């Protein structure tokens, strides 16, 4: 049995915010790629170049989407940092403040190792992926954890 629970360090919180910000870049690019050409097209067709002011709104919306984990830092951390992660008998159980999820270990797609933290990525997460910090391990060992996910661990910087 491997158990992660406890308070996350400031460094671990920054790592999680960075991961989530990277995940928001794709939707931000989608916002920009769809709406920026639409605004330009409207300007060209109507010859009302004052409408280009809305281009700033598109850029702002895309920027805010990518920065949203940092803007809503407390809420993001409260909802994203698990209260506990328990790996026992081939099952990964994750409990957040408001919900819980259980998935078999075989559903783990990869484990990102980031400076003493682990981000467990599932093939099809019911809720979200799990974030663990090695310093929060209360049962088991890091070696046991890495042996369990051997071949799925990817070192990240």
């Amino acid at each position: 049995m491997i158990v992660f629970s406890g308070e996350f360090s400031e460094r671990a919180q920054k790592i999680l915010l960075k991961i989530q910000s990277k995940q928001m870049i794709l939707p931000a690019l989608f916002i920009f790629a769809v709406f920026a050409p639409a605004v330009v097209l409207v300007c060209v067709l109507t010859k009302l170049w004052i409408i280009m002011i809305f281009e700033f709104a598109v850029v702002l919306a895309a920027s805010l989407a990518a920065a949203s984990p940092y803007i809503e830092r407390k809420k993001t951390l409260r909802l994203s940092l698990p209260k506990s992660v328990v790996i026992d008998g081939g099952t990964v159980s994750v409990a957040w403040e408001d919900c819980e999820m259980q998935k078999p270990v075989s559903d783990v797609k990869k484990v990102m190792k980031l400076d003493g933290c682990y981000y467990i990525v599932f093939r099809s997460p019911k809720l979200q992926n799990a974030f663990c910090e090695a310093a929060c391990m209360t049962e088991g060992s890091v070696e046991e954890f890495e042996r369990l996910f051997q071949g799925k661990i990817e070192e990240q910087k």
Side-chain angles (χ1 to χ4, degrees):
M1 176 184 278
I2 301 169
V3 179
F4 294 91
S5 66
E7 292 294 318
F8 288 88
S9 67
E10 187 68 29
R11 179 183 47 79
Q13 292 176 12
K14 288 179 182 178
I15 290 170
L16 180 64
L17 289 172
K18 184 179 176 182
I19 290 169
Q20 291 190 332
S21 182
K22 283 182 179 179
Q23 290 174 343
M24 291 304 295
I25 287 176
L26 190 62
L29 288 175
F30 178 76
I31 291 169
F32 186 75
V34 169
F35 292 105
V39 170
V40 171
L41 183 64
V42 168
C43 288
V44 169
L45 292 176
T46 62
K47 296 196 184 347
L48 294 172
W49 294 101
I50 192 76
I51 297 173
M52 281 300 282
I53 292 172
F54 290 109
E55 196 72 37
F56 293 116
V58 170
V59 171
L60 181 64
S63 301
L64 287 175
S68 64
Y70 291 103
I71 294 169
E72 293 277 333
R73 178 183 165 88
K74 283 188 177 183
K75 182 179 179 184
T76 300
L77 291 173
R78 182 175 52 83
L79 295 175
S80 300
L81 290 174
K83 298 295 178 193
S84 68
V85 177
V86 179
I87 304 168
D88 185 30
T91 303
V92 180
S93 302
V94 187
W96 291 275
E97 184 175 285
D98 57 347
C99 57
E100 293 182 11
M101 175 180 75
Q102 286 189 336
K103 296 286 250 177
V105 171
S106 59
D107 276 4
V108 173
K109 182 178 180 180
K110 67 180 176 180
V111 177
M112 296 169 30
K113 185 177 181 180
L114 306 128
D115 194 24
C117 298
Y118 297 97
Y119 190 65
I120 302 171
V121 180
F122 296 99
R123 281 185 174 50
S124 57
K126 237 189 261 185
L127 302 167
Q128 61 184 352
N129 297 313
F131 186 75
C132 316
E133 183 178 17
C136 293
M137 186 177 278
T138 57
E139 285 186 44
S141 67
V142 173
E143 293 79 22
E144 186 180 348
F145 178 83
E146 289 186 355
R147 196 174 330 110
L148 181 66
F149 295 109
Q150 188 174 7
K152 295 181 180 183
I153 297 177
E154 297 178 3
E155 291 274 343
Q156 303 282 319
K157 291 186 181 188

